Amino acid sequence: MTHQESRRTPAGAPAAAGPLAGVRVVELAGLGPAPFCGMLLADLGADVVVVDRPGPADEETARHNLLNRGKRSVVADLKDPAGRRTVLGLAARADVLIEGFRPGVAERLGVGPRQCHDRNPALVYGRMTGWGQDGPLAHSAGHDIGYIALTGALHAVGRAGEAPRVPLNLVGDFGGGGMYLAVGVLGALLRARQDGTGQVVDAAIVDGASHLTTILYGMLAAGQWRDERGVNLLDSGVPYYDVYETADGGHMGVGALEPRFYAEFVRLLGVRDQVPPHREPSVWPQLRKVFAEAFRTRTRREWTEVFAGTDACVAPVLSFQEALADPHLTARGTFTTVGGVPQPAPAPRFSGTPAAVPGRPPVPGEHGAEVLAEWDVAGAAG
C-alpha cells in the first residue's frame, strides 16, 4: 500500500487554497527554523516569496529543499542598494516579513523593522534567532543542541544513568523555533487586521523550547517529576511507557499509562498472570524484564497484528520509509508526493478552507519578474 499523491478533501468542501489565501509573506532566505515557518504559512495558503542571495543555483538541491515548497523565489543582493530597494518594495506590499539573521544584521543591511515599518506600518516583522534579540548570548553563534542544552530540555531526554540523547533538531529548531515564530506571526497578523498596527515578533528558540516544557515544570513543583533522566512517567522511567525490541530486531512503542489500557496491554502481551500490581516502583525492574522477554518472542509484524485496533496503546516503531506505507497514515493522506518527492502533507486540516497540495520548491530567482510585476514592485531581481 502506498501513500496518496494528494491530501483528500472532505466531501462537499469547497475548493480553496487554504485559510491564509491572500496573505503575502516575504522571507529573507536562511536555514532551518525561519524557512520552516515560511513553509507552514505557504502550506496554509499564504503567498510566500523567498528573497534568495545571488550566486549559482544548484537546481537539484533546490528542488529537494522541502522547506521551500509552495513558495516563490526572487534574487536580491541585500548589500547592493538595488537589492535593498527590492526588499523594501516587497515589504511595503506584504503582510508579513520573516528573517533569521543575528541581531542587528537586518538593520545594518537596511531592511530592519524601522526601515520596513516606515514603508508599511501594518507589517508584521518576524525575527527568528536561537538566543533572542537581547541577553548576554544574543550575538553568539549557536545551533539547536546548544539552545535545548541551556533550557534543560536536553537534560531531560535519555535513559537513567546514561548521557542525554539528541532528539534530532525537532525540539529546538522546529518545535521551539519555527513553530513559535508561526504562532507569533499569526497572532500579530490578527491584531494588524484589527487596527492596522504592525509589530515585531521576537521568536527565540530558547524561549520556545522552554515553553514546551511548561507541563514538566508544573509536575516538578508538585513533586510529580524528578529532575533526572529516565526515572519519570514519560521518559522511559516506567516500564509501561517505553520501547521494546522484538524477535526480528524491530521495536514496539508502549504507552499503556491508564489502568484500563494497561490491563489490555498485559492481556494481549500474554503476561497478565505473570506481573504484580504495576504502580509500585519497586516492581518496575521485574515488569521491564517480563515485558522485554515477551516482546522478544514474536516479530514486529506479529506484534503489530496483535495490538492493531485495540486500546493497549502499543504501536510499531517505523522508519521514515515505512511510515509512508502505513495503512492508517495512507488512509488519512498524511503524506503526499510532489514532483516525485514523498513528503508530509500540510497540517492541520480545515473543513472550510482546505490547503492545496504543496507546490514544488523553486530554484532561486525562478519567479523574480513574475513576483515583482504582480506585487507592483519597481526594482531589479533575478
Side-chain angles (χ1 to χ4, degrees):
M1 188 176 292
T2 59
H3 54 285
Q4 302 293 321
E5 176 70 18
S6 62
R7 171 69 64 80
R8 292 178 175 173
T9 300
L20 295 185
V23 173
R24 287 179 167 180
V25 179
V26 177
E27 176 189 322
L28 304 186
L31 298 173
F36 178 71
C37 171
M39 184 200 77
L40 284 174
L41 301 178
D43 281 353
L44 298 183
D47 180 10
V48 180
V49 173
V50 182
V51 180
D52 281 305
R53 300 176 180 86
D58 182 339
E59 182 170 350
E60 181 69 14
T61 299
R63 293 298 190 207
H64 287 86
N65 182 4
L66 296 184
L67 295 185
N68 277 343
R69 71 184 190 185
K71 303 176 185 178
R72 298 192 287 175
S73 171
V74 303
V75 167
D77 185 355
L78 295 181
K79 297 181 179 179
D80 181 87
R84 287 194 292 274
R85 287 195 297 271
T86 296
V87 171
L88 291 174
L90 291 169
R93 290 159 176 78
D95 300 291
V96 177
L97 183 147
I98 57 178
E99 55 93 352
F101 300 134
R102 290 198 204 187
V105 171
E107 285 83 350
R108 290 197 297 273
L109 292 171
V111 293
R114 182 183 59 77
Q115 292 98 331
C116 290
H117 282 143
D118 284 346
R119 299 289 193 95
N120 181 0
L123 181 72
V124 173
Y125 195 104
R127 318 197 80 167
M128 182 77 259
T129 60
W131 305 115
Q133 295 296 317
D134 51 37
L137 296 176
H139 295 275
S140 300
H143 280 295
D144 174 286
I145 193 168
Y147 308 138
I148 66 172
L150 199 70
T151 64
L154 181 58
H155 175 270
V157 180
R159 294 187 174 277
E162 298 181 4
R165 295 191 176 184
V166 181
L168 302 180
N169 61 339
L170 301 179
V171 175
D173 282 348
F174 301 120
M179 190 71 72
Y180 275 85
L181 178 60
V183 171
V185 160
L186 293 176
L189 182 61
L190 179 61
R191 179 59 183 266
R193 292 291 173 89
Q194 292 171 342
D195 62 13
T197 303
Q199 59 185 300
V200 176
V201 178
D202 173 7
I205 295 174
V206 290
D207 297 344
S210 297
H211 196 258
L212 288 173
T213 65
T214 300
I215 187 173
L216 303 181
Y217 275 91
M219 295 172 71
L220 186 65
Q224 299 169 348
W225 190 271
R226 291 162 58 186
D227 203 5
E228 304 173 41
R229 277 185 302 284
V231 297
N232 297 287
L233 186 66
L234 303 174
D235 62 359
S236 77
V238 299
Y240 40 91
Y241 198 90
D242 206 345
V243 175
Y244 291 93
E245 186 176 5
T246 57
D248 57 345
H251 293 86
M252 301 293 290
V254 177
L257 295 177
E258 293 80 3
R260 66 188 183 94
F261 301 154
Y262 177 82
E264 181 75 343
F265 162 60
V266 295
R267 182 184 71 81
L268 291 172
L269 189 63
V271 298
R272 180 170 53 185
D273 299 330
Q274 303 175 40
V275 294
H278 66 291
R279 294 297 188 185
E280 175 54 50
S282 64
V283 306
W284 289 350
Q286 178 186 351
L287 287 181
R288 197 180 303 276
K289 183 174 183 294
V290 170
F291 296 163
E293 290 176 349
F295 273 113
R296 283 196 291 267
T297 63
R298 299 189 189 186
T299 65
R300 189 187 68 177
R301 178 184 293 275
E302 290 171 332
W303 283 121
T304 299
E305 293 173 353
V306 167
F307 289 108
T310 73
D311 283 346
C313 298
V314 178
V317 178
L318 302 182
S319 69
F320 289 145
Q321 291 290 346
E322 290 172 328
L324 293 172
D326 176 75
H328 178 78
L329 302 182
T330 298
R332 283 188 56 79
T334 298
F335 293 96
T336 187
T337 297
V338 179
V341 180
Q343 57 198 270
R349 308 183 183 195
F350 298 84
S351 62
T353 54
V357 176
R360 60 168 174 72
V363 173
E366 182 177 346
H367 306 96
E370 171 186 307
V371 168
L372 294 180
E374 285 184 19
W375 289 33
D376 192 24
V377 175

